[in-house]
Coordinates of all heavy atoms in Angstrom, one line a residue:
M191 N -19.6 -20.3 30.3 CA -18.5 -19.7 29.7 C -18.8 -18.3 29.2 O -19.8 -18.1 28.6 CB -18.1 -20.6 28.4 CG -16.9 -20.1 27.7 SD -16.6 -21.3 26.4 CE -15.0 -20.8 26.0
A192 N -18.0 -17.4 29.6 CA -18.2 -16.0 29.3 C -17.9 -15.7 27.9 O -16.9 -16.2 27.4 CB -17.4 -15.1 30.2
K193 N -18.6 -14.9 27.2 CA -18.3 -14.5 25.9 C -17.6 -13.1 25.9 O -18.0 -12.2 26.7 CB -19.6 -14.3 25.0 CG -20.3 -15.6 24.8 CD -21.4 -15.5 23.8 CE -22.1 -16.8 23.6 NZ -23.2 -16.7 22.7
V194 N -16.6 -13.0 25.1 CA -15.8 -11.8 25.1 C -16.0 -11.2 23.7 O -15.8 -11.8 22.7 CB -14.3 -12.0 25.3 CG1 -13.5 -10.7 25.3 CG2 -14.1 -12.7 26.7
L195 N -16.4 -9.9 23.6 CA -16.7 -9.3 22.4 C -15.6 -8.2 22.2 O -15.2 -7.5 23.1 CB -18.0 -8.6 22.3 CG -19.2 -9.6 22.4 CD1 -20.5 -8.7 22.5 CD2 -19.3 -10.5 21.3
Y196 N -15.1 -8.1 21.0 CA -14.1 -7.1 20.7 C -14.7 -6.1 19.7 O -15.4 -6.5 18.8 CB -12.8 -7.7 20.1 CG -12.1 -8.6 21.0 CD1 -12.3 -10.0 21.0 CD2 -11.2 -8.1 21.9 CE1 -11.7 -10.8 21.9 CE2 -10.5 -8.9 22.8 CZ -10.8 -10.3 22.8 OH -10.1 -11.1 23.6
A197 N -14.4 -4.8 19.8 CA -14.9 -3.8 18.9 C -13.6 -3.1 18.3 O -12.8 -2.5 19.0 CB -15.7 -2.8 19.6
Y198 N -13.5 -3.2 17.0 CA -12.4 -2.6 16.3 C -13.0 -1.7 15.2 O -13.9 -2.1 14.5 CB -11.5 -3.7 15.6 CG -10.8 -4.6 16.6 CD1 -11.2 -5.9 16.8 CD2 -9.7 -4.1 17.3 CE1 -10.5 -6.7 17.7 CE2 -9.0 -4.9 18.1 CZ -9.4 -6.2 18.3 OH -8.8 -7.1 19.2
D199 N -12.4 -0.6 15.0 CA -12.8 0.2 13.9 C -11.9 -0.2 12.7 O -11.1 -1.0 12.8 CB -12.7 1.7 14.2 CG -11.2 2.2 14.4 OD1 -10.3 1.5 14.1 OD2 -11.1 3.4 14.9
E200 N -12.3 0.4 11.5 CA -11.6 0.0 10.3 C -10.1 0.2 10.3 O -9.3 -0.7 9.9 CB -12.2 0.8 9.1 CG -11.7 0.4 7.8 CD -12.3 1.1 6.6 OE1 -13.4 1.7 6.8 OE2 -11.7 1.1 5.5
K201 N -9.6 1.3 10.9 CA -8.2 1.5 11.0 C -7.5 0.5 11.9 O -6.4 0.0 11.5 CB -7.9 2.9 11.5 CG -6.5 3.3 11.5 CD -6.2 4.7 11.9 CE -4.7 5.0 11.8 NZ -4.4 6.4 12.0
D202 N -8.1 0.1 13.0 CA -7.5 -0.9 13.9 C -7.4 -2.3 13.1 O -6.3 -2.9 13.2 CB -8.4 -1.2 15.1 CG -8.4 0.0 16.1 OD1 -7.4 0.7 16.1 OD2 -9.4 0.1 16.8
V203 N -8.4 -2.6 12.4 CA -8.4 -3.9 11.6 C -7.3 -3.8 10.5 O -6.5 -4.7 10.4 CB -9.7 -4.2 11.0 CG1 -9.7 -5.4 10.0 CG2 -10.8 -4.4 12.1
E204 N -7.2 -2.7 9.9 CA -6.2 -2.5 8.8 C -4.8 -2.6 9.4 O -3.9 -3.3 8.9 CB -6.4 -1.1 8.2 CG -5.4 -0.9 7.0 CD -5.6 0.5 6.3 OE1 -6.4 1.3 6.9 OE2 -5.1 0.7 5.3
Q205 N -4.6 -2.0 10.6 CA -3.2 -2.1 11.2 C -2.9 -3.5 11.6 O -1.8 -4.0 11.5 CB -3.2 -1.2 12.4 CG -3.1 0.3 12.1 CD -3.0 1.2 13.3 OE1 -3.7 1.0 14.2 NE2 -2.1 2.2 13.2
I206 N -3.9 -4.3 12.2 CA -3.7 -5.6 12.6 C -3.3 -6.5 11.4 O -2.3 -7.3 11.4 CB -4.9 -6.2 13.3 CG1 -5.1 -5.5 14.6 CG2 -4.8 -7.7 13.5 CD1 -6.5 -5.7 15.3
I207 N -4.0 -6.4 10.3 CA -3.8 -7.2 9.1 C -2.4 -6.8 8.5 O -1.6 -7.7 8.2 CB -4.9 -7.0 8.1 CG1 -6.2 -7.6 8.6 CG2 -4.5 -7.5 6.7 CD1 -7.4 -7.3 7.8
F208 N -2.2 -5.5 8.4 CA -0.9 -5.0 7.8 C 0.3 -5.5 8.7 O 1.3 -6.0 8.1 CB -0.9 -3.5 7.7 CG 0.2 -3.0 6.8 CD1 -0.1 -2.8 5.5 CD2 1.5 -2.7 7.3 CE1 0.8 -2.3 4.6 CE2 2.4 -2.2 6.4 CZ 2.1 -2.0 5.1
S209 N 0.1 -5.5 10.0 CA 1.2 -6.0 10.9 C 1.4 -7.5 10.7 O 2.6 -7.9 10.6 CB 0.8 -5.7 12.3 OG 1.8 -6.2 13.2
A210 N 0.4 -8.2 10.6 CA 0.5 -9.7 10.3 C 1.2 -10.0 9.0 O 2.1 -10.8 8.9 CB -0.8 -10.4 10.4
I211 N 0.8 -9.3 8.0 CA 1.5 -9.4 6.6 C 2.9 -9.0 6.7 O 3.8 -9.7 6.2 CB 0.7 -8.6 5.6 CG1 -0.7 -9.2 5.3 CG2 1.5 -8.6 4.3 CD1 -1.6 -8.4 4.5
N212 N 3.2 -7.9 7.4 CA 4.6 -7.4 7.5 C 5.4 -8.4 8.2 O 6.6 -8.7 7.8 CB 4.6 -6.1 8.2 CG 5.9 -5.4 8.2 OD1 6.7 -5.6 7.2 ND2 6.2 -4.7 9.2
K213 N 5.0 -9.0 9.3 CA 5.7 -10.0 10.1 C 6.0 -11.2 9.2 O 7.1 -11.8 9.2 CB 5.0 -10.4 11.3 CG 5.0 -9.4 12.4 CD 4.2 -9.8 13.6 CE 4.2 -8.7 14.6 NZ 3.3 -9.1 15.8
S214 N 5.0 -11.6 8.4 CA 5.2 -12.8 7.5 C 6.3 -12.5 6.4 O 7.1 -13.3 6.2 CB 3.9 -13.1 6.9 OG 4.0 -14.2 6.0
L215 N 6.2 -11.3 5.9 CA 7.1 -10.9 4.8 C 8.5 -10.8 5.4 O 9.5 -11.3 4.7 CB 6.7 -9.6 4.2 CG 5.5 -9.7 3.3 CD1 5.1 -8.3 2.9 CD2 5.7 -10.6 2.1
K216 N 8.7 -10.3 6.6 CA 10.0 -10.2 7.2 C 10.6 -11.5 7.5 O 11.8 -11.8 7.3 CB 9.9 -9.3 8.5 CG 9.9 -7.8 8.2 CD 9.9 -7.0 9.5 CE 10.0 -5.6 9.1 NZ 10.1 -4.8 10.4
R217 N 9.8 -12.5 7.9 CA 10.2 -13.8 8.2 C 10.8 -14.5 6.9 O 11.7 -15.3 6.9 CB 9.1 -14.7 8.7 CG 9.2 -14.8 10.2 CD 8.2 -15.8 10.7 NE 7.0 -15.1 11.2 CZ 5.8 -15.2 10.8 NH1 5.5 -16.2 9.9 NH2 4.8 -14.5 11.2
N218 N 10.2 -14.1 5.8 CA 10.6 -14.6 4.5 C 11.7 -13.8 3.8 O 11.9 -14.0 2.6 CB 9.4 -14.8 3.6 CG 8.4 -15.8 4.1 OD1 8.8 -16.8 4.6 ND2 7.1 -15.5 4.0
G219 N 12.3 -12.9 4.5 CA 13.4 -12.1 4.0 C 13.0 -10.9 3.2 O 13.8 -10.3 2.6
N220 N 11.7 -10.5 3.1 CA 11.3 -9.4 2.4 C 11.0 -8.2 3.3 O 10.0 -8.3 4.0 CB 10.1 -9.7 1.5 CG 9.6 -8.6 0.7 OD1 10.1 -7.4 0.9 ND2 8.8 -8.8 -0.3
A221 N 11.8 -7.2 3.4 CA 11.7 -6.1 4.3 C 11.1 -4.9 3.7 O 11.2 -3.8 4.1 CB 13.0 -5.8 5.0
L222 N 10.4 -5.1 2.5 CA 9.8 -4.0 1.8 C 8.8 -3.2 2.6 O 8.8 -2.0 2.7 CB 9.1 -4.5 0.5 CG 8.4 -3.5 -0.3 CD1 9.3 -2.4 -0.8 CD2 7.6 -4.1 -1.4
L223 N 8.0 -3.9 3.4 CA 7.0 -3.3 4.2 C 7.5 -3.1 5.6 O 7.3 -4.0 6.5 CB 5.7 -4.1 4.2 CG 5.1 -4.5 2.9 CD1 3.9 -5.4 3.0 CD2 4.8 -3.2 2.1
S224 N 8.2 -2.1 5.9 CA 8.9 -2.0 7.2 C 7.9 -1.8 8.4 O 7.9 -2.6 9.3 CB 9.9 -0.8 7.2 OG 9.2 0.4 6.8
T225 N 7.1 -0.8 8.4 CA 6.1 -0.7 9.4 C 4.8 0.0 8.9 O 4.9 0.7 7.8 CB 6.6 0.2 10.6 OG1 6.8 1.5 10.1 CG2 7.8 -0.4 11.2
F226 N 3.7 -0.2 9.5 CA 2.5 0.5 9.1 C 2.6 2.0 9.2 O 2.1 2.7 8.3 CB 1.3 0.0 10.0 CG 0.0 0.5 9.5 CD1 -0.6 0.0 8.4 CD2 -0.6 1.6 10.1 CE1 -1.9 0.5 8.0 CE2 -1.8 2.2 9.7 CZ -2.4 1.6 8.6
E227 N 3.3 2.5 10.2 CA 3.4 3.9 10.4 C 4.3 4.6 9.3 O 4.4 5.8 9.2 CB 3.9 4.2 11.8 CG 3.0 3.9 12.9 CD 3.0 2.4 13.2 OE1 4.0 1.7 12.9 OE2 1.9 1.9 13.7
D228 N 5.1 3.8 8.6 CA 6.1 4.3 7.7 C 5.4 4.6 6.3 O 6.0 4.3 5.3 CB 7.2 3.3 7.5 CG 8.4 3.9 6.8 OD1 8.5 5.1 6.8 OD2 9.3 3.1 6.4
N229 N 4.2 5.2 6.3 CA 3.5 5.5 5.1 C 4.2 6.6 4.2 O 3.8 6.8 3.1 CB 2.1 5.8 5.3 CG 1.3 4.6 5.7 OD1 1.7 3.5 5.5 ND2 0.2 4.8 6.4
D230 N 5.1 7.4 4.8 CA 5.7 8.4 4.1 C 7.0 7.9 3.3 O 7.6 8.7 2.6 CB 6.2 9.6 5.0 CG 5.0 10.4 5.5 OD1 4.0 10.5 4.8 OD2 5.0 10.9 6.6
A231 N 7.2 6.6 3.4 CA 8.4 6.1 2.7 C 8.2 6.2 1.2 O 7.1 6.0 0.7 CB 8.6 4.6 3.1
K232 N 9.3 6.5 0.6 CA 9.3 6.6 -0.9 C 9.8 5.2 -1.5 O 10.7 4.6 -1.0 CB 10.3 7.6 -1.4 CG 9.7 8.9 -1.8 CD 10.7 9.8 -2.5 CE 11.4 10.7 -1.5 NZ 12.2 11.8 -2.1
L233 N 9.1 4.7 -2.4 CA 9.4 3.5 -3.1 C 9.7 3.7 -4.5 O 9.2 4.6 -5.2 CB 8.2 2.5 -3.0 CG 7.6 2.2 -1.6 CD1 6.4 1.3 -1.8 CD2 8.7 1.6 -0.8
T234 N 10.7 2.9 -5.0 CA 11.0 2.9 -6.4 C 9.8 2.4 -7.2 O 8.9 1.8 -6.7 CB 12.3 2.1 -6.7 OG1 12.0 0.7 -6.5 CG2 13.5 2.6 -5.9
Q235 N 9.9 2.5 -8.5 CA 8.8 2.0 -9.4 C 8.6 0.5 -9.2 O 7.5 0.0 -9.0 CB 9.1 2.3 -10.8 CG 7.9 2.3 -11.7 CD 8.1 3.2 -12.9 OE1 7.5 4.2 -12.9 NE2 8.9 2.8 -13.8
S236 N 9.7 -0.3 -9.1 CA 9.6 -1.8 -9.0 C 9.1 -2.1 -7.6 O 8.3 -3.0 -7.4 CB 10.9 -2.5 -9.3 OG 11.9 -2.1 -8.5
Q237 N 9.6 -1.4 -6.6 CA 9.1 -1.6 -5.2 C 7.6 -1.3 -5.1 O 6.8 -2.0 -4.5 CB 9.9 -0.8 -4.2 CG 11.3 -1.2 -4.0 CD 12.0 -0.2 -3.1 OE1 11.8 1.0 -3.2 NE2 13.0 -0.7 -2.3
A238 N 7.2 -0.2 -5.7 CA 5.8 0.2 -5.7 C 4.9 -0.9 -6.4 O 3.8 -1.2 -5.9 CB 5.6 1.6 -6.3
A239 N 5.3 -1.4 -7.5 CA 4.6 -2.4 -8.2 C 4.4 -3.6 -7.3 O 3.3 -4.2 -7.2 CB 5.3 -2.7 -9.5
K240 N 5.5 -4.1 -6.7 CA 5.4 -5.2 -5.8 C 4.5 -4.9 -4.6 O 3.7 -5.8 -4.2 CB 6.8 -5.6 -5.3 CG 7.6 -6.3 -6.3 CD 9.0 -6.6 -5.7 CE 9.9 -7.1 -6.8 NZ 11.3 -7.4 -6.3
F241 N 4.5 -3.7 -4.1 CA 3.8 -3.3 -2.9 C 2.3 -3.5 -3.2 O 1.5 -3.9 -2.3 CB 4.1 -1.9 -2.5 CG 3.4 -1.4 -1.3 CD1 3.8 -1.9 0.0 CD2 2.4 -0.5 -1.3 CE1 3.2 -1.4 1.1 CE2 1.8 0.0 -0.2 CZ 2.2 -0.5 1.1
I242 N 1.8 -3.1 -4.4 CA 0.4 -3.2 -4.6 C 0.0 -4.4 -5.5 O -1.1 -4.7 -5.9 CB -0.2 -1.9 -5.3 CG1 0.4 -1.6 -6.6 CG2 -0.1 -0.8 -4.3 CD1 -0.3 -0.5 -7.4
G243 N 1.0 -5.3 -5.8 CA 0.8 -6.5 -6.5 C 0.5 -6.5 -7.9 O -0.4 -7.2 -8.4
V244 N 1.1 -5.5 -8.6 CA 0.9 -5.4 -10.1 C 2.3 -5.4 -10.8 O 3.3 -5.2 -10.1 CB 0.1 -4.2 -10.5 CG1 -1.2 -4.2 -9.9 CG2 0.9 -2.9 -10.1
S245 N 2.3 -5.5 -12.1 CA 3.5 -5.4 -12.9 C 3.9 -3.9 -13.0 O 3.1 -3.0 -12.8 CB 3.4 -6.0 -14.2 OG 2.5 -5.2 -15.0
V246 N 5.2 -3.6 -13.3 CA 5.6 -2.3 -13.6 C 4.8 -1.6 -14.7 O 4.4 -0.4 -14.5 CB 7.1 -2.2 -13.8 CG1 7.6 -0.8 -14.2 CG2 7.9 -2.6 -12.5
P247 N 4.6 -2.3 -15.8 CA 3.8 -1.6 -16.9 C 2.4 -1.3 -16.4 O 1.9 -0.2 -16.8 CB 3.8 -2.7 -18.0 CG 5.0 -3.5 -17.8 CD 5.2 -3.5 -16.3
T248 N 1.8 -2.1 -15.6 CA 0.5 -1.8 -15.0 C 0.5 -0.6 -14.1 O -0.3 0.3 -14.2 CB -0.1 -3.0 -14.3 OG1 -0.2 -4.1 -15.2 CG2 -1.5 -2.7 -13.7
L249 N 1.6 -0.5 -13.3 CA 1.8 0.6 -12.4 C 1.9 1.9 -13.2 O 1.3 2.9 -12.9 CB 3.0 0.4 -11.5 CG 3.3 1.5 -10.5 CD1 2.3 1.5 -9.4 CD2 4.7 1.4 -10.0
I250 N 2.7 1.9 -14.3 CA 2.8 3.0 -15.2 C 1.5 3.4 -15.8 O 1.1 4.6 -15.9 CB 3.9 2.8 -16.3 CG1 5.3 2.6 -15.6 CG2 3.9 3.9 -17.3 CD1 6.3 2.1 -16.5
G251 N 0.7 2.4 -16.2 CA -0.7 2.7 -16.7 C -1.5 3.4 -15.7 O -2.3 4.3 -16.0
Y252 N -1.5 2.9 -14.4 CA -2.2 3.6 -13.3 C -1.8 5.0 -13.2 O -2.6 5.9 -13.0 CB -2.0 2.9 -12.0 CG -2.7 1.5 -11.9 CD1 -2.3 0.7 -10.8 CD2 -3.6 1.1 -12.8 CE1 -2.9 -0.6 -10.7 CE2 -4.2 -0.2 -12.6 CZ -3.9 -1.0 -11.6 OH -4.5 -2.2 -11.4
R253 N -0.5 5.3 -13.3 CA 0.0 6.6 -13.1 C -0.5 7.5 -14.3 O -0.9 8.6 -14.1 CB 1.6 6.6 -13.1 CG 2.2 7.9 -12.9 CD 3.7 7.8 -12.9 NE 4.2 7.7 -14.3 CZ 5.3 7.1 -14.7 NH1 6.0 6.3 -13.8 NH2 5.6 7.1 -15.9
E254 N -0.4 7.0 -15.5 CA -0.8 7.8 -16.7 C -2.3 7.9 -16.9 O -2.7 9.0 -17.4 CB -0.1 7.2 -17.9 CG 1.5 7.4 -17.8 CD 2.2 6.7 -19.0 OE1 1.5 5.9 -19.8 OE2 3.4 6.8 -19.1
E255 N -3.0 6.9 -16.6 CA -4.4 6.8 -17.0 C -5.4 7.1 -15.8 O -6.5 7.5 -16.0 CB -4.8 5.5 -17.7 CG -4.0 5.3 -19.0 CD -4.1 3.9 -19.5 OE1 -4.9 3.1 -19.0 OE2 -3.3 3.6 -20.4
R256 N -4.9 6.7 -14.6 CA -5.8 6.8 -13.5 C -5.4 7.8 -12.4 O -5.9 7.9 -11.3 CB -6.0 5.4 -12.8 CG -6.6 4.4 -13.8 CD -6.9 3.2 -13.1 NE -7.4 2.1 -14.0 CZ -7.6 0.9 -13.7 NH1 -7.5 0.5 -12.4 NH2 -8.0 0.0 -14.5
G257 N -4.3 8.6 -12.7 CA -3.9 9.6 -11.8 C -3.2 9.2 -10.6 O -3.3 9.9 -9.5
L258 N -2.5 8.0 -10.6 CA -1.7 7.6 -9.4 C -0.6 8.6 -9.1 O 0.2 8.9 -10.0 CB -1.1 6.2 -9.7 CG -0.2 5.7 -8.6 CD1 -1.0 5.5 -7.3 CD2 0.4 4.4 -9.0
P259 N -0.6 9.2 -7.9 CA 0.4 10.2 -7.6 C 1.8 9.6 -7.6 O 2.0 8.5 -7.2 CB 0.0 10.7 -6.2 CG -1.4 10.3 -6.0 CD -1.5 9.0 -6.8
Y260 N 2.8 10.4 -8.1 CA 4.2 10.0 -8.1 C 5.0 11.2 -8.0 O 4.6 12.4 -8.1 CB 4.5 9.2 -9.4 CG 4.4 10.1 -10.6 CD1 5.6 10.6 -11.2 CD2 3.2 10.3 -11.3 CE1 5.6 11.3 -12.4 CE2 3.2 11.1 -12.4 CZ 4.4 11.6 -13.0 OH 4.3 12.3 -14.1
E261 N 6.3 11.0 -7.8 CA 7.3 12.1 -7.8 C 8.5 11.7 -8.6 O 9.0 10.6 -8.6 CB 7.8 12.3 -6.3 CG 8.8 13.4 -6.1 CD 9.1 13.5 -4.6 OE1 8.3 14.1 -3.9 OE2 10.2 13.0 -4.3
R262 N 8.9 12.6 -9.5 CA 10.0 12.4 -10.4 C 11.2 13.2 -9.8 O 11.1 14.4 -9.7 CB 9.7 12.8 -11.8 CG 10.8 12.4 -12.8 CD 10.5 12.7 -14.2 NE 9.3 12.0 -14.7 CZ 9.4 10.8 -15.3 NH1 10.5 10.2 -15.4 NH2 8.3 10.2 -15.8
I263 N 12.3 12.6 -9.6 CA 13.5 13.2 -9.1 C 14.6 12.9 -10.2 O 15.1 11.8 -10.2 CB 14.0 12.8 -7.7 CG1 12.9 13.1 -6.7 CG2 15.3 13.5 -7.3 CD1 13.1 12.6 -5.3
G264 N 14.8 13.9 -11.1 CA 15.6 13.6 -12.2 C 14.9 12.6 -13.1 O 13.7 12.9 -13.5
K265 N 15.5 11.5 -13.5 CA 14.8 10.5 -14.3 C 14.0 9.5 -13.5 O 12.9 9.1 -13.9 CB 15.8 9.8 -15.2 CG 15.2 8.9 -16.2 CD 16.2 8.3 -17.1 CE 15.5 7.4 -18.1 NZ 16.4 6.8 -19.1
P266 N 14.5 9.1 -12.3 CA 13.7 8.1 -11.6 C 12.4 8.6 -11.1 O 12.2 9.7 -10.8 CB 14.6 7.7 -10.4 CG 16.0 8.3 -10.7 CD 15.7 9.4 -11.7
V267 N 11.4 7.6 -11.0 CA 10.1 7.9 -10.5 C 9.9 7.2 -9.2 O 10.3 6.1 -9.0 CB 9.0 7.4 -11.5 CG1 7.6 7.5 -10.9 CG2 9.1 8.1 -12.8
Y268 N 9.3 7.9 -8.2 CA 9.1 7.4 -6.9 C 7.6 7.5 -6.5 O 6.9 8.4 -7.0 CB 9.9 8.1 -5.8 CG 11.4 7.9 -6.0 CD1 12.1 8.9 -6.7 CD2 12.1 6.8 -5.6 CE1 13.5 8.7 -7.0 CE2 13.4 6.7 -5.8 CZ 14.1 7.6 -6.5 OH 15.5 7.5 -6.7
Y269 N 7.2 6.6 -5.6 CA 5.8 6.6 -5.1 C 5.8 6.6 -3.6 O 6.7 5.9 -3.0 CB 5.0 5.4 -5.6 CG 5.0 5.3 -7.1 CD1 6.1 4.7 -7.8 CD2 3.9 5.8 -7.8 CE1 6.0 4.6 -9.2 CE2 3.9 5.7 -9.2 CZ 4.9 5.1 -9.9 OH 4.9 5.0 -11.3
Y270 N 4.9 7.3 -3.0 CA 4.8 7.2 -1.5 C 3.8 6.1 -1.1 O 2.8 5.9 -1.8 CB 4.3 8.5 -0.9 CG 5.3 9.6 -1.0 CD1 5.3 10.5 -2.0 CD2 6.3 9.7 0.0 CE1 6.2 11.6 -2.1 CE2 7.2 10.7 0.0 CZ 7.2 11.6 -1.1 OH 8.1 12.6 -1.1
K271 N 4.2 5.3 -0.1 CA 3.3 4.3 0.4 C 1.9 4.7 0.7 O 0.9 4.1 0.3 CB 3.9 3.7 1.7 CG 4.9 2.6 1.5 CD 5.2 2.0 2.9 CE 6.3 1.1 2.8 NZ 6.6 0.5 4.2
K272 N 1.8 5.9 1.3 CA 0.4 6.4 1.7 C -0.4 6.6 0.4 O -1.6 6.4 0.4 CB 0.5 7.7 2.5 CG 1.1 8.9 1.8 CD 1.2 10.1 2.7 CE 2.0 11.2 2.0 NZ 2.2 12.3 2.8
D273 N 0.2 7.1 -0.7 CA -0.5 7.3 -1.9 C -0.9 6.0 -2.6 O -2.0 5.8 -3.1 CB 0.3 8.1 -2.9 CG 0.6 9.5 -2.5 OD1 -0.2 10.1 -1.7 OD2 1.6 10.1 -2.9
L274 N 0.0 5.0 -2.5 CA -0.3 3.7 -3.0 C -1.5 3.0 -2.2 O -2.4 2.4 -2.8 CB 0.9 2.8 -3.0 CG 2.0 3.2 -3.9 CD1 3.3 2.4 -3.5 CD2 1.7 3.0 -5.3
L275 N -1.5 3.1 -0.9 CA -2.5 2.6 -0.1 C -3.9 3.3 -0.4 O -4.9 2.6 -0.6 CB -2.2 2.7 1.4 CG -1.1 1.8 1.9 CD1 -0.7 2.3 3.3 CD2 -1.5 0.4 1.9
A276 N -3.9 4.6 -0.5 CA -5.1 5.3 -0.8 C -5.6 5.0 -2.2 O -6.8 4.7 -2.4 CB -4.9 6.8 -0.7
F277 N -4.7 4.9 -3.2 CA -5.1 4.5 -4.6 C -5.7 3.1 -4.6 O -6.8 2.9 -5.2 CB -3.9 4.6 -5.5 CG -4.2 4.2 -6.9 CD1 -4.7 5.2 -7.8 CD2 -3.9 2.9 -7.4 CE1 -5.0 4.8 -9.1 CE2 -4.2 2.6 -8.7 CZ -4.7 3.6 -9.6
S278 N -5.1 2.2 -3.9 CA -5.6 0.8 -3.8 C -7.0 0.7 -3.2 O -7.9 0.0 -3.7 CB -4.6 -0.1 -3.0 OG -3.4 -0.2 -3.7
R279 N -7.2 1.5 -2.1 CA -8.5 1.5 -1.5 C -9.6 2.1 -2.5 O -10.7 1.5 -2.6 CB -8.5 2.4 -0.3 CG -7.9 1.8 0.9 CD -8.1 2.6 2.2 NE -7.0 2.3 3.1 CZ -6.0 3.1 3.4 NH1 -5.9 4.3 2.8 NH2 -5.1 2.7 4.2
R280 N -9.2 3.2 -3.2 CA -10.2 3.7 -4.2 C -10.5 2.7 -5.2 O -11.7 2.6 -5.6 CB -9.6 5.0 -4.8 CG -9.7 6.2 -3.9 CD -9.4 7.5 -4.6 NE -8.2 7.5 -5.4 CZ -7.0 7.8 -5.0 NH1 -6.8 8.3 -3.8 NH2 -6.0 7.8 -5.8
Q281 N -9.5 2.0 -5.7 CA -9.7 1.0 -6.8 C -10.6 -0.1 -6.3 O -11.5 -0.6 -7.0 CB -8.4 0.4 -7.3 CG -7.5 1.5 -8.0 CD -8.2 2.2 -9.1 OE1 -8.8 1.6 -10.0 NE2 -8.3 3.5 -9.0
N282 N -10.4 -0.5 -5.0 CA -11.3 -1.6 -4.5 C -12.7 -1.1 -4.3 O -13.6 -1.9 -4.5 CB -10.7 -2.1 -3.1 CG -9.5 -2.9 -3.3 OD1 -9.3 -3.5 -4.3 ND2 -8.6 -2.9 -2.3
E283 N -12.9 0.1 -3.9 CA -14.2 0.7 -3.8 C -14.9 0.8 -5.1 O -16.1 0.5 -5.3 CB -14.2 2.1 -3.1 CG -13.8 2.0 -1.7 CD -13.6 3.4 -1.1 OE1 -13.8 4.4 -1.8 OE2 -13.2 3.5 0.1
I284 N -14.2 1.1 -6.2 CA -14.8 1.2 -7.5 C -15.2 -0.2 -8.0 O -16.3 -0.4 -8.6 CB -13.8 1.8 -8.5 CG1 -13.6 3.3 -8.2 CG2 -14.2 1.6 -10.0 CD1 -12.4 4.0 -8.9
K285 N -14.4 -1.2 -7.7 CA -14.7 -2.6 -8.1 C -15.9 -3.1 -7.4 O -16.7 -3.9 -8.0 CB -13.5 -3.5 -7.8 CG -12.3 -3.4 -8.7 CD -11.2 -4.3 -8.3 CE -10.0 -4.1 -9.1 NZ -8.9 -5.0 -8.7
K286 N -16.1 -2.7 -6.1 CA -17.3 -3.1 -5.4 C -18.6 -2.6 -5.9 O -19.7 -3.2 -5.7 CB -17.1 -2.8 -3.9 CG -16.1 -3.6 -3.2 CD -16.0 -3.1 -1.7 CE -14.8 -3.8 -1.0 NZ -14.7 -3.4 0.3
K287 N -18.6 -1.5 -6.6 CA -19.8 -0.8 -7.1 C -20.4 -1.5 -8.3 O -20.2 -2.2 -8.9 CB -19.5 0.7 -7.4 CG -19.3 1.5 -6.2 CD -19.0 2.9 -6.5 CE -18.8 3.7 -5.3 NZ -18.6 5.1 -5.6

């Protein structure tokens, strides 16, 4: 029996996992995560909190205390997916140390 080896870089693995999660969420009626390439999408505060799996007060704390990037248009606050992903990665790296 021949062995088949696959070589994936970190970005490939991230896209595969994100795609699988996205398909699962769409099947369950949650279209929040439209596509992996849609990282420029703006999310409301509640959408952003759901996206990274925290409460809105925790998200606000991240913004105020840990420098999570955001955009204010009038009164509403928005977050970009790409910023949330980068912030989450940094937080995971800090936890690993």
Side-chain angles (χ1 to χ4, degrees):
M191 182 176 194
K193 292 185 180 181
V194 180
L195 299 175
Y196 296 95
Y198 295 104
D199 65 14
E200 185 176 339
K201 186 173 181 173
D202 290 335
V203 172
E204 184 178 12
Q205 286 180 318
I206 291 166
I207 292 170
F208 198 91
S209 177
I211 291 170
N212 189 32
K213 286 177 185 176
S214 176
L215 290 171
K216 282 185 176 182
R217 263 187 261 124
N218 294 318
N220 185 344
L222 175 62
L223 307 175
S224 55
T225 63
F226 183 80
E227 294 79 23
D228 194 18
N229 287 342
D230 289 330
K232 260 193 264 190
L233 303 178
T234 65
Q235 199 153 254
S236 60
Q237 290 172 325
K240 286 179 187 177
F241 184 73
I242 62 172
V244 298
S245 67
V246 171
T248 299
L249 182 74
I250 293 169
Y252 288 168
R253 184 180 81 213
E254 293 174 352
E255 298 168 14
R256 297 186 187 177
L258 176 63
Y260 68 99
E261 180 177 285
R262 186 179 297 271
I263 301 175
K265 187 173 180 176
V267 173
Y268 297 95
Y269 302 84
Y270 287 97
K271 277 187 183 181
K272 64 183 176 187
D273 294 334
L274 294 167
L275 290 168
F277 180 81
S278 294
R279 280 189 208 107
R280 282 193 309 271
Q281 295 305 305
N282 286 335
E283 289 172 7
I284 291 169
K285 287 180 185 178
K286 288 180 184 178
K287 290 181 179 182

